[in-house]
Amino acid sequence: MSDRTFRIGPIRPPSEANSLLIQVTNGCTWNKCKFCQLYRHTKFKAYSADSIRADIDNIAYWAERVRKYERKGVSAFAWDIEGINAELSNMTDADEQQCMYTVANWLVGGGENVFLQDGNSTALSSGRLTDVLVYLRQVFPQIKRITSYGRAENLSRSTAEDFAELKAAGLDRIHSGFESGSDAVLKRINKGVTQEQQIRAGKAIKNGGIELSIYFMPGVGGKDLSADNAEGTAEVINAVNPDFVRVRTAAVKPGTELYQDWQDGAFELCSDDDKVREIRRVIELAGAKQDAPQITTYLVSDHMINLLQSVEGYIAQGGSNTTDDRERMLGLIDRYLDMPEADRRVFQLLRRTLRAYDLGDMERLGAPERDALRAEVMKENELGWNVRMNGYICRYV
Ligand code: SF4
């Protein structure tokens, strides 16, 4: 590998698709969640401040090379893309080519956001993370937002003052895979965190001035804990008021411990309808309690594995312009749940095979095709159908 390359980790949230990725850690400090196999074969490593600074310097080197192709003063098509592509195709070192491509992509896309990888970057000592943030902003003053993943248990050990320091150094948003707010579900999936720790971490992050984006996994608790999963998650939202809740439909993937639990009979798959009902319950309960703080959380559906992609908007108490979002989201869910079972299954099939985006796409089906599909999907019993849908979902995670 040449001296001019930098590390690029594998995982980032979809919302960071245009962000520059800087790997400050490798792997995950926990590595034991039963549904996850992302870093199973990776030993956790936190890189030294010097090594991360060297990566930032190399990114700056490639940024300078890419900026030769900037057409200053030209508002539209402000980059000589052909020139960049020509230089890229003449490069003989594949690693360097990848680095230049990554930086060019970032700069051409605006060069505004950075995501610090991997699974738990906030496990870096706060001093080291602060150094990295300060240096990054010094080298690239145009950066508008820096975000990172953090594990809730780890985050719960820091105070609001600690987060305020990170905010002052330049960290704007923390993504955290809470998955569920139910202690029973968290235990079942071996998340290694409790609801109380999630709430403590969430409050400290928000009080420290950092945005919080949490992930919710409908269906991850299994059928018997489906209601718990929704209710516990709504409790966390009510206590913390996270900025974002991102829906990640549970996938029970071969090779994971959760899959083994299912095979052993210790876990029962939720249907797509169960998962949709969980989302409905969260929207219903968030902000519903009299003593809950004003909830301004935005529910995001930014992954193709979610069945109802259009269920997205503010989960908020009544009395503001966000009320419309709740009514619209609940209306969409009810429109789906009120359909006959055969139509719900047809929609699931179309969605899981990327032939439909939302319910309106069903209407484009001609009557003969719809009738044929209805007959086909109803041939399977409930278990067989849920297994088939889980198989489709697993292809995308
Ligand atoms: S904390 Fe995240 S990356 Fe680590 S095992 Fe759990 S889900 Fe996977």
Side-chain angles (χ1 to χ4, degrees), residues 27-40 118-120 149-152 177 179 189-191 217:
C28 168
T29 45
W30 176 245
N31 235 346
K32 293 179 194 156
C33 298
K34 283 191 165 187
F35 60 89
C36 173
Q37 52 180 184
L38 272 182
Y39 302 108
R40 266 308 136 94
D118 263 347
N120 187 14
Y149 271 136
R151 221 185 130 243
E179 331 302 5
I189 62 176
N190 199 27
K191 191 71 204 171
M217 266 191 188

Side-chain angles (χ1 to χ4, degrees), residues 3 37 46 67 130 157 169 205 211 220 231 279 308 340 346 381:
D3 289 348
Q37 52 180 184
R67 283 197 181 109
T130 304
R157 288 186 244 143
I205 291 166
E211 283 185 339
V220 79
E231 284 158 21
I279 298 169
L308 300 176
V346 169
N381 65 20

Side-chain angles (χ1 to χ4, degrees), residues 35-299:
F35 60 89
C36 173
Q37 52 180 184
L38 272 182
Y39 302 108
R40 266 308 136 94
H41 305 292
T42 308
K43 195 164 177 285
F44 180 77
K45 183 170 169 45
Y47 294 111
S48 70
D50 281 349
S51 148
I52 301 165
R53 266 198 294 266
D55 270 6
I56 295 171
D57 288 342
N58 283 344
I59 292 166
Y61 165 81
W62 291 110
E64 211 175 299
R65 276 187 56 171
V66 171
R67 283 197 181 109
K68 282 188 314 197
Y69 299 98
E70 195 174 11
R71 292 169 170 162
K72 291 207 170 61
V74 181
S75 56
F77 307 109
W79 292 88
D80 173 9
I81 302 292
E82 279 181 17
I84 296 174
N85 284 338
E87 179 161 349
L88 281 169
S89 54
N90 284 333
M91 292 171 79
T92 50
D93 183 317
D95 293 327
E96 288 198 349
Q97 191 182 44
Q98 180 61 38
C99 288
M100 180 167 163
Y101 173 80
T102 301
V103 173
N105 222 20
W106 178 55
L107 289 177
V108 171
E112 294 183 344
N113 302 327
V114 176
F115 178 70
L116 305 179
Q117 299 172 300
D118 263 347
N120 187 14
S121 308
T122 51
L124 270 193
S125 72
S126 61
R128 210 186 305 177
L129 192 51
T130 304
D131 283 354
V132 167
L133 290 162
V134 169
Y135 190 63
L136 189 53
R137 289 209 178 254
Q138 194 181 312
V139 175
F140 295 104
Q142 86 276 12
I143 289 173
K144 293 221 169 103
R145 189 184 77 200
I146 303 179
T147 64
S148 184
Y149 271 136
R151 221 185 130 243
E153 188 275 331
N154 189 260
L155 297 166
S156 72
R157 288 186 244 143
S158 297
T159 62
E161 290 70 35
D162 296 329
F163 289 115
E165 267 178 41
L166 289 175
K167 172 68 185 171
L171 186 64
D172 299 295
R173 180 182 298 169
I174 291 176
H175 293 268
S176 190
F178 281 22
E179 331 302 5
S180 173
S182 151
D183 278 326
V185 174
L186 292 168
K187 197 166 170 208
R188 174 169 285 176
I189 62 176
N190 199 27
K191 191 71 204 171
V193 70
T194 62
Q195 184 195 70
E196 188 274 323
Q197 286 171 317
Q198 291 179 336
I199 292 174
R200 189 148 30 99
K203 283 183 171 172
I205 291 166
K206 295 275 299 179
N207 289 337
I210 293 181
E211 283 185 339
L212 176 63
S213 174
I214 65 169
Y215 291 77
F216 164 48
M217 266 191 188
V220 79
K223 228 177 194 13
D224 60 328
L225 293 181
S226 187
D228 274 58
N229 196 25
E231 284 158 21
T233 302
E235 282 167 13
V236 171
I237 295 171
N238 282 337
V240 172
N241 188 20
D243 297 275
F244 303 96
V245 172
R246 295 179 192 275
V247 178
R248 289 288 177 278
T249 300
V252 182
K253 237 185 145 173
T256 62
E257 285 173 66
L258 199 57
Y259 185 88
Q260 196 52 51
D261 283 352
W262 171 36
Q263 298 300 299
D264 295 344
F267 180 91
E268 192 182 346
L269 274 185
C270 280
S271 65
D272 263 331
D273 293 355
D274 294 329
K275 296 170 191 173
V276 166
R277 280 190 204 98
E278 286 186 24
I279 298 169
R280 192 187 196 293
R281 192 81 180 122
V282 167
I283 297 170
E284 224 175 27
L285 291 178
K289 270 192 170 175
Q290 289 297 319
D291 57 350
Q294 175 71 51
I295 300 302
T296 51
T297 302
Y298 193 82
L299 184 90

Side-chain angles (χ1 to χ4, degrees), residues 286-315:
K289 270 192 170 175
Q290 289 297 319
D291 57 350
Q294 175 71 51
I295 300 302
T296 51
T297 302
Y298 193 82
L299 184 90
V300 188
S301 180
D302 59 355
H303 201 296
M304 67 197 298
I305 55 176
N306 299 330
L307 185 72
L308 300 176
Q309 284 288 36
S310 309
V311 175
E312 173 163 323
Y314 282 100
I315 307 176

